[in-house]
């Protein structure tokens, strides 16, 4: 694969990325960063991630990978295999992979960069992503953000693959 495949996710210290179809925290700075980094790119996601949005995210294509051959939604480009999803992305220089956990696991061998917001909490959740193996991933940037009021501390972290996928 010649294009960049970048993961975008927020992950709690215990690996939790979601609970009941939503994020278990509210971090406006994370949402602002996500928007800035994904606008103009095709986004690949699972059906549950797509359905968690209140509406389509402006300025981005929504490629939904689902096993449900009868599923469709306005604004979604539907794929039923990884190969179909990658083909839908066309010649875009980067594919933004935005979840959920099964999609991250499926695409991990193809990922070239990970943009992760490390949320310093240990919430209950029903979707989790294991830590990224430092043998395979090098931290190339980190920006610490302190807790504010009821919002937890968090770090914006960029990881790049140590070896070619």
């Amino acid at each position: 694969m010649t294009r960049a495949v970048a993961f975008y996710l927020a992950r709690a210290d215990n690996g939790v990325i979601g609970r009941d179809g939503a994020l278990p925290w509210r971090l406006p700075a994370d949402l602002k960063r996500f928007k800035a980094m994904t606008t103009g790119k095709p986004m690949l996601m699972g059906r549950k991630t797509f359905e968690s949005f209140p509406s389509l995210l402006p300025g981005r294509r929504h490629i939904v990978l689902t096993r449900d051959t009868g599923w469709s939604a306005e604004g979604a480009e539907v794929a039923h295999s990884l190969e179909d999803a990658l083909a839908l992305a066309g010649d875009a220089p980067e594919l933004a992979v935005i979840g959920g956990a099964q999609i991250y696991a499926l695409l991990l061998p193809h990922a070239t960069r990970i943009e992760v917001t490390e949320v310093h909490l240990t919430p209950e959740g029903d979707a989790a992503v294991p830590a990224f193996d430092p043998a395979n991933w090098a931290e190339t940037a980190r920006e610490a953000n302190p807790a504010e009021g009821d919002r937890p501390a968090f770090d914006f972290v960029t990881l790049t693959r140590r070896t070619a996928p």
Side-chain angles (χ1 to χ4, degrees), residues 25-30 119-121 143-154 156:
W25 48 76
R26 177 153 167 67
L27 294 172
D30 177 52
V119 183
H120 301 303
L121 284 177
E143 177 188 333
N145 295 272
E148 288 182 18
D150 62 348
R151 293 192 178 119
F154 60 95
F156 293 140

Side-chain angles (χ1 to χ4, degrees), residues 114-130:
I114 299 170
E115 298 290 346
V116 59
T117 300
E118 294 179 349
V119 183
H120 301 303
L121 284 177
T122 54
E124 295 291 319
D126 53 21
V129 170

Side-chain angles (χ1 to χ4, degrees), residues 60-122:
R60 290 157 275 191
R61 291 176 50 212
H62 297 68
I63 300 171
V64 179
L65 181 56
T66 177
R67 289 182 290 264
D68 183 347
T69 56
W71 186 86
S72 67
E74 189 173 334
E77 298 174 55
V78 182
H80 300 294
S81 71
L82 178 57
E83 295 74 23
D84 290 347
L86 296 174
L88 281 172
D91 60 359
E94 180 181 293
L95 177 62
V97 178
I98 65 165
Q102 292 178 9
I103 300 298
Y104 291 127
L106 181 65
L107 271 289
L108 187 60
H110 303 282
T112 55
R113 191 177 85 250
I114 299 170
E115 298 290 346
V116 59
T117 300
E118 294 179 349
V119 183
H120 301 303
L121 284 177
T122 54

